[in-house]
Amino acid sequence: MDPEALKKYSTLHPKPAGVTLQYGTAGFRTKAEHLDHVMFRMGLLAVLRSKATVSTIGVMVTASHNPEEDNGVKLVDPLGEMLHPSWEEYATQLVNAEEQELQKTLNEICQKAGVNQHKDASVFIGRDTRPSSEKLSQSVIDGISVLGGQYHDYGLVTTPQLHYMVCCQNTQGQYGKATLEGYYEKLSKAFAELIKQSPSSGESQRHWKIDCANGIGALKLSEMEPYFPKEVLIHIYNDGTKEKLNHLCGADFVKVHQKPPRGLDMEPNERCCSFDGDADRIVYYYKDATGRFHLIDGDKIATLISIFLKELLAKMGQTLQMAVVQTAYANGSSTRYLEETLKVPVHCVKTGVKHLHHKAQEFDVGVYFEANGHGTVLFSKAAESTVRQLAKEEKDGERREAAKVLENMIDLINQTVGDAISDMLVIEAILALKGLTVQQWNAIYTDLPNRLLKVQVADRRVIDTTDAERRAVTPSGLQEKIDALVKKYKLSRAFVRPSGTEDVVRIYAEADTQENADALAHEVSLAVYHLAGGRGAPPQP
């Protein structure tokens, strides 16, 4: 480590006074103009992480579904997973270190993490389409270069594509080729094989309407289009040529506002979907003949995938252990359907993709989705080799065919992280193979009416939770109050949890009617306001 070079480069990327940031599930995210020093230092950290793991590490410059003027950065670990929690702390330390402490902080991290500084370092970089992303990724490159790391800049890619590249590279190509062509070829080949088997294969055109949030998804989907089977016609809306990223469009907008994105004309009963700004989330929706809007969120996506995988495993005669992982925000109807009708075990974990991903790794087949549309399916090494072997060698025709379908599913799913493009192809393949319409998919179960609220508090840390955030431990008396309120309504539940980013407490309530869900949410918000130090005027119904 050359102290002079570090000092020289560090002054080119100075830390603004009074800015402190925390590395969370989404990495670092804030206004783009406050991020130059962060990017430089994440370049430094990526080199150390690469030396520590003796692997290639990814750095993705994106702020996902945030407004266009924001930006952010997250690191990708060797198998395409999110950064290890102990390194999240190092990231926070490094970004908040004063200029003159930088060398010392780097040395401390090397010592704590046992980094061998003589190892080579290799970093993959990707960025989204924000106006600030190119300059910020250059700052990352400065950080990598000053510590002598090698890098490959993929330029404009979706977040899941960068995760995929990192995994391909570190599995020496076993997971696939670490190029965009490799990604397009692997996914489109698996998809084409699957829809060949569908009842209506080749007969009719398949029209897909996709809102790409004016983001990177539009660019990459157009690049991928020539790889799709001839009968697939994609219509991209909000492609980024006219409007601002995530403005009145994208998966987050549709989920929160429960209405279609701007610029997309929907025919009755026509299925449409929306990606978010960096294409790692997807939601579906349609309007019925009366013009009513229906959202199909991550819970329903997980259910559709689970039904399909369970049927395949049964056809193969396999007793592989399958489970679905959800958070407390999952609609109670989905949990009930999965457990009682489908007889698939459901596990609830704390909010945040890393918790879901980690839990899903415990099973042969682990399906996880957040209600917001971020999710994927993980297959254990043993399960995957069983499936591939059966697809090759199984004597029984029906079992072998089922194994082939599952083998193609495994290739179509991006197991590193939620991926809107991959998830869309998985969903479209399942709907085609099962001959389901969007209305039939939506009718698998009916969501319980629910309401999300937030209450401003002086200090969010007064609320502590347990049981995967479903019960409040402090302040005392709050959980008892919530329990009493829940008893007043049918099919009801409610929970509160502190926000990870601001001094607010988030409240979720569901009940048999919208009126009751609203009333319960309001009463719980009053309890939080009075018992947890609410700020400003009390919540109004």
Side-chain angles (χ1 to χ4, degrees):
M1 214 184 277
D2 176 351
E4 284 315 304
L6 183 68
K7 209 184 224 158
K8 185 182 132 195
Y9 267 90
S10 184
T11 49
L12 295 175
H13 303 285
K15 175 182 176 291
V19 173
T20 38
L21 292 167
Q22 172 91 32
Y23 193 104
T25 300
F28 291 111
R29 254 183 225 179
T30 186
K31 292 273 169 277
E33 61 267 24
H34 298 153
L35 280 167
D36 181 52
H37 74 292
V38 173
M39 297 295 173
F40 172 68
R41 294 174 183 200
M42 285 305 95
L44 301 173
L45 193 74
V47 169
L48 300 190
R49 182 69 179 148
S50 174
K51 289 174 187 251
T53 56
V54 197
S55 305
T56 295
I57 295 297
V59 180
M60 184 68 201
V61 177
T62 181
S64 189
H65 54 276
N66 281 36
E68 188 169 271
E69 45 281 1
D70 291 359
N71 217 322
V73 59
K74 38 192 171 185
L75 266 59
V76 179
D77 254 358
L79 292 177
E81 68 280 66
M82 297 170 95
L83 183 63
H84 191 277
S86 62
W87 281 73
E88 288 186 3
E89 284 175 41
Y90 300 150
T92 302
Q93 257 174 321
L94 189 59
V95 158
N96 296 319
E98 291 308 326
E99 214 72 40
Q100 60 279 11
E101 301 286 309
L102 196 56
Q103 178 81 54
K104 185 171 148 244
T105 309
L106 286 169
N107 290 338
E108 278 172 10
I109 293 170
C110 287
Q111 210 179 342
K112 278 189 206 151
V115 176
N116 178 348
Q117 298 206 34
H118 302 295
K119 293 278 184 205
D120 289 338
S122 149
V123 182
F124 282 179
I125 309 159
R127 64 174 194 270
D128 71 10
T129 53
R130 290 164 196 272
S132 59
S133 290
E134 190 168 1
K135 189 169 173 297
L136 290 173
S137 74
Q138 197 48 58
S139 306
V140 174
I141 291 172
D142 283 355
I144 296 165
S145 306
V146 76
L147 292 187
Q150 298 292 310
Y151 67 88
H152 180 82
D153 183 5
Y154 281 93
L156 293 163
V157 286
T158 69
T159 296
Q161 285 175 333
L162 188 76
H163 284 256
Y164 177 92
M165 304 303 169
V166 171
C167 182
C168 291
Q169 183 68 12
N170 290 316
T171 55
Q172 285 70 50
Q174 269 180 293
Y175 193 63
K177 278 202 215 88
T179 62
L180 278 169
E181 293 70 39
Y183 171 93
Y184 297 144
E185 278 166 6
K186 180 180 170 183
L187 269 65
S188 56
K189 181 171 169 272
F191 176 73
E193 287 298 316
L194 285 164
I195 63 166
K196 265 187 210 158
Q197 314 286 320
S198 80
S200 63
S201 174
E203 284 168 33
S204 57
Q205 299 270 291
R206 300 174 193 276
H207 288 269
W208 302 348
K209 284 189 170 180
I210 305 142
D211 153 37
C212 288
N214 288 313
I216 183 72
L219 281 180
K220 299 297 129 179
L221 206 49
S222 337
E223 277 177 18
M224 191 173 183
E225 193 172 7
Y227 294 83
F228 288 145
K230 292 281 174 284
E231 73 245 42
V232 171
L233 292 180
I234 61 174
H235 305 273
I236 295 175
Y237 297 83
N238 299 315
D239 64 359
T241 53
K242 299 186 205 51
E243 296 280 344
K244 276 174 76 167
L245 176 70
N246 296 324
H247 181 57
L248 302 177
C249 61
D252 206 54
F253 172 83
V254 173
K255 167 88 178 130
V256 171
H257 296 279
Q258 302 268 334
K259 64 180 189 190
R262 187 154 126 185
L264 189 146
D265 305 319
M266 295 166 70
E267 300 296 321
N269 296 324
E270 174 178 60
R271 74 172 169 274
C272 306
C273 65
S274 284
F275 294 1
D276 73 333
D278 64 340
D280 64 359
R281 298 181 181 185
I282 184 169
V283 295
Y284 271 77
Y285 44 90
Y286 68 99
K287 269 185 176 163
D288 62 26
T290 67
R292 191 166 151 233
F293 178 82
H294 298 268
L295 175 75
I296 300 180
D297 65 4
D299 298 336
K300 277 226 165 110
I301 294 172
T303 305
L304 177 74
I305 293 172
S306 302
I307 290 170
F308 185 72
L309 294 179
K310 187 160 190 225
E311 285 171 2
L312 279 182
L313 291 173
K315 279 183 192 156
M316 284 162 54
Q318 281 301 310
T319 53
L320 293 173
Q321 191 194 8
M322 177 173 150
V324 177
V325 187
Q326 297 182 325
T327 70
Y329 286 110
N331 195 281
S333 291
S334 72
T335 315
R336 205 166 288 134
Y337 177 86
L338 287 162
E339 289 182 329
E340 294 171 13
T341 308
L342 205 56
K343 305 274 188 275
V344 169
V346 177
H347 297 267
C348 186
V349 297
K350 278 165 67 172
T351 306
V353 179
K354 59 186 174 189
H355 302 297
L356 291 136
H357 192 91
H358 190 70
K359 186 70 183 175
Q361 287 172 320
E362 294 176 18
F363 309 99
D364 292 321
V365 182
V367 180
Y368 75 81
F369 270 83
E370 290 188 294
N372 64 25
H374 187 287
T376 187
V377 185
L378 305 184
F379 296 89
S380 69
K381 278 205 172 60
E384 194 168 320
S385 59
T386 301
V387 171
R388 294 198 193 276
Q389 199 178 349
L390 284 173
K392 265 213 292 286
E393 297 166 10
E394 172 61 55
K395 300 281 181 283
D396 178 277
E398 193 188 350
R399 284 183 176 188
R400 189 177 60 250
E401 283 314 303
K404 278 187 185 164
V405 171
L406 187 50
E407 182 176 39
N408 282 312
M409 266 296 158
I410 291 171
D411 287 335
L412 185 53
I413 290 164
N414 184 347
Q415 292 184 57
T416 64
V417 70
D419 180 339
I421 294 177
S422 159
D423 289 337
M424 174 182 78
L425 295 173
V426 167
I427 290 162
E428 292 297 337
I430 294 173
L431 293 175
L433 286 164
K434 290 183 67 64
L436 286 176
T437 64
V438 68
Q439 302 88 305
Q440 288 168 319
W441 174 18
N442 191 38
I444 291 171
Y445 63 80
T446 305
D447 276 326
L448 282 168
N450 55 81
R451 177 63 64 212
L452 279 163
L453 294 176
K454 52 187 184 183
V455 175
Q456 292 214 306
V457 290
D459 180 2
R460 65 181 184 269
R461 289 169 302 191
V462 301
I463 298 230
D464 193 21
T465 64
T466 184
D467 187 23
E469 302 178 312
R470 289 177 290 190
R471 297 189 67 75
V473 185
T474 61
S476 73
L478 179 59
Q479 188 57 51
E480 291 73 13
K481 182 75 180 148
I482 294 171
D483 290 341
L485 292 169
V486 164
K487 282 201 182 109
K488 292 166 55 178
Y489 302 98
K490 280 193 192 129
L491 297 175
S492 64
R493 70 184 180 103
F495 67 89
V496 302
R497 56 180 285 272
S499 157
T501 48
E502 47 185 337
D503 279 321
V504 300
V505 175
R506 301 191 188 282
I507 290 149
Y508 176 90
E510 59 185 35
D512 58 341
T513 66
Q514 191 61 57
E515 203 179 353
N516 287 345
D518 290 349
L520 176 57
H522 175 63
E523 288 172 328
V524 171
S525 72
L526 283 174
V528 168
Y529 179 84
H530 291 302
L531 293 170
R535 280 176 58 190
Q540 296 302 310

